[in-house]
Amino acid sequence: MATGITMAIAEPPMTTHLRDHLKLDKTFPIKSPIKKSLPAVWMRSGTSKGLFIQRKYLPESTHLWEPILLSAMGSVGADSRQIDGIGGATSTTSKVAVIEKSQRPDIDVEYTFIQVAPDQAKTDMTGNCGNIASGVGPFALDEGMVKAAPGQKEIDIRILNTNTGQTLVETVQVAADGSFLEDGDYSIPGVQSTSSRIKVSFLNPGGSMTGQIFPTGALQEMLNVSSSLVGEFSVRVSLVDAANPFVLVDASSIATQGHSAWTNAEDTEFLSVVEDIRRAGAVRFGLAPNLEIAGQTRGTPKIAFLYPASQDDVEADIEVLSFTMGKRHSSLQLTGAVCLGAAMSIHGTVAWDLVQRKNNDRLPKHGMLVEGHEIASALPMGIRHPAGVIHAQTLLGLSGKGEVQVEQVAVFRTARRLFKGSVFYRA
């Protein structure tokens, strides 16, 4: 009868040196970042998408926010894909809004905007984002930070943007249960679906960062630019600080001879020259002491090229090509619409001049207040951008001394809550 045979296979001899190195708990300690989470909402707000967070869930000091937000959005390690976070690999989908209930009697909620760079480990809190701001009112209503009265169908929510010190009033629709009524038939360029209309009114938007709507004192001027690619040149601009500081450029003032690629807004040489103009504008604004420092903050000032609208365009009064974080903007920043809406209403700016090329036989569309009394209502002004047309309504004020100021610019947006839960980050 066959018997079972057990064979023992000897292991190769192991040296003491190798055995010691396999003691991983002592020789190779593994240090991993600690995974943490915080409650958040991901929203489509206007034509941007962002992470909406209640401030109470973040550290008290804003200086401690950056590593948390960089990790959550996926900008750690300068991965332009943001593949290890929730960011969408573009500046318009890499934004954060931090909101808290205000202790001020004239303000409902306070909101801080953070632009997270999609291609580098950097955040920017120097300006506001009007698109993201349009979602603050709906967020505050849904989170119970603001409450509507029983049966109320529309509510005005007063918002303080802490980045600029500006006050916004958002008029939003209220559902039967007191939450934000999202559904509606209003549409905006760049978003296929329709939703309820959100009116975003920027009150006294002039001087958001510089304290003056025209910080240089000039309604328009020739800006001297130094470029490593094309040398020295000048362009006609209006430097306007309304909602955000913008370098508004008369596109026809740029000499394109010998630079045929400049007709392509994606051309790297063209974008480099655009950045050269923006940096020169930053120094002229007084926002940076020199061009090198100006290049370190890409979020402000912003820059847009202006063109006269075609005579057969029944919707638009002006055309614009805007840029963001060194790239062509797919539509137009909402603060850009506010700033341009203000500039279009003030006689002598580049924007005013371009509007008059088409509408020189028409009355101005801006409204007018005289010592607090409205004597003319604002009509919508159409601004054509790559995705369509956005409208702005501007109300100017005239004091007893005859001084003109921008009292209010209103624009219209929609918003949609995409998900609510916990966002993870590594610290």
Side-chain angles (χ1 to χ4, degrees):
M1 180 179 291
T3 59
I5 299 175
T6 301
M7 298 182 64
I9 301 177
E11 296 181 357
M14 182 180 296
T15 64
T16 302
H17 178 73
L18 180 59
R19 186 181 296 112
D20 290 342
H21 276 72
L22 287 176
K23 296 177 180 179
L24 298 180
D25 59 331
K26 294 182 179 180
T27 309
F28 293 107
I30 300 175
K31 294 183 179 180
S32 298
I34 300 173
K35 185 171 69 173
K36 299 181 179 179
S37 67
L38 59 109
V41 171
W42 187 244
M43 288 184 69
R44 193 270 299 164
S45 187
T47 53
S48 294
K49 285 198 292 188
L51 194 63
F52 285 66
I53 305 170
Q54 291 196 44
R55 179 164 183 158
K56 64 183 180 181
Y57 297 125
L58 288 168
E60 182 65 26
S61 173
T62 57
H63 299 293
L64 301 177
W65 293 1
E66 185 171 70
I68 297 173
L69 300 180
L70 289 174
S71 176
M73 301 300 284
S75 291
V76 175
D79 182 0
S80 62
R81 300 172 303 160
Q82 293 183 311
I83 200 70
D84 206 27
I86 65 171
T90 66
S91 63
T92 56
T93 56
S94 186
K95 303 185 177 192
V96 179
V98 179
I99 301 103
E100 66 177 332
K101 188 172 178 61
S102 180
Q103 300 302 311
R104 293 176 43 169
D106 59 332
I107 298 294
D108 294 309
V109 293
E110 299 181 11
Y111 127 82
T112 302
F113 169 69
I114 305 98
Q115 175 71 62
V116 179
D119 57 351
Q120 56 183 297
K122 187 176 182 180
T123 60
D124 185 355
M125 296 174 62
T126 58
N128 185 15
C129 172
N131 274 300
I132 291 297
S134 65
V136 173
F139 174 85
L141 193 59
D142 281 344
E143 296 296 306
M145 304 170 81
V146 175
K147 295 185 183 297
Q152 189 173 1
K153 295 184 177 180
E154 188 176 86
I155 187 172
D156 288 337
I157 301 175
R158 295 181 65 87
I159 300 165
L160 174 68
N161 173 241
T162 63
N163 305 77
T164 62
Q166 290 180 317
T167 300
L168 295 74
V169 177
E170 289 185 11
T171 305
V172 301
Q173 306 306 304
V174 182
D177 63 357
S179 65
F180 168 55
L181 178 61
E182 186 176 287
D183 294 334
D185 58 5
Y186 189 75
S187 64
I188 60 175
V191 179
Q192 292 185 348
S193 62
T194 62
S195 300
S196 66
R197 191 181 79 164
I198 303 169
K199 181 180 180 181
V200 186
S201 300
F202 288 72
L203 307 185
N204 301 307
S208 67
M209 291 186 66
T210 65
Q212 301 177 69
I213 191 169
F214 299 106
T216 68
L219 297 177
Q220 64 173 269
E221 58 190 282
M222 296 303 295
L223 180 67
N224 298 321
V225 183
S226 177
S227 170
S228 60
L229 288 177
V230 299
E232 307 285 333
F233 64 96
S234 298
V235 289
R236 191 166 76 106
V237 302
S238 286
L239 302 178
V240 186
D241 181 5
N244 260 331
F246 267 79
V247 182
L248 301 178
V249 183
D250 177 0
S252 67
S253 68
I254 301 178
T256 59
Q257 185 175 0
H259 304 284
S260 58
W262 285 13
T263 58
N264 177 12
E266 306 292 346
D267 178 68
T268 55
E269 180 181 299
F270 173 71
L271 291 174
S272 176
V273 173
V274 171
E275 175 63 9
D276 291 331
I277 299 172
R278 193 197 68 81
R279 292 187 186 192
V283 174
R284 182 69 179 138
F285 257 118
L287 295 171
N290 54 56
L291 298 176
E292 182 179 359
I293 299 297
Q296 295 176 10
T297 303
R298 295 192 298 171
T300 50
K302 302 183 187 299
I303 183 169
F305 285 17
L306 307 184
Y307 308 81
S310 63
Q311 291 295 330
D312 58 354
D313 190 338
V314 297
E315 292 185 272
D317 297 285
I318 199 169
E319 292 187 14
V320 60
L321 179 63
S322 181
F323 301 84
T324 176
M325 305 296 282
K327 298 180 180 180
R328 179 183 70 88
H329 200 291
S330 59
S331 55
L332 174 64
Q333 302 96 327
L334 199 67
T335 55
V338 173
C339 188
L340 189 50
M344 292 164 66
S345 301
I346 299 176
H347 186 278
T349 66
V350 167
W352 171 277
D353 289 349
L354 293 178
V355 168
Q356 297 315 301
R357 293 186 189 181
K358 178 183 179 182
N359 300 330
N360 57 4
D361 60 341
R362 301 181 186 177
L363 293 174
K365 293 184 175 181
H366 62 77
M368 179 63 72
L369 286 177
V370 176
E371 295 187 318
H373 300 285
E374 185 172 319
I375 62 171
S377 298
L379 298 175
M381 294 178 287
I383 303 169
R384 183 167 294 282
H385 53 75
V389 176
I390 186 172
H391 293 92
Q393 291 181 333
T394 303
L395 188 61
L396 300 182
L398 187 65
S399 70
K401 297 180 180 180
E403 299 173 339
V404 176
Q405 63 183 25
V406 180
E407 295 282 347
Q408 175 181 304
V409 181
V411 286
F412 304 92
R413 297 280 86 182
T414 64
R416 181 185 172 207
R417 180 174 287 221
L418 302 176
F419 73 72
K420 178 178 182 178
S422 295
V423 62
F424 290 95
Y425 65 94
R426 292 178 175 178

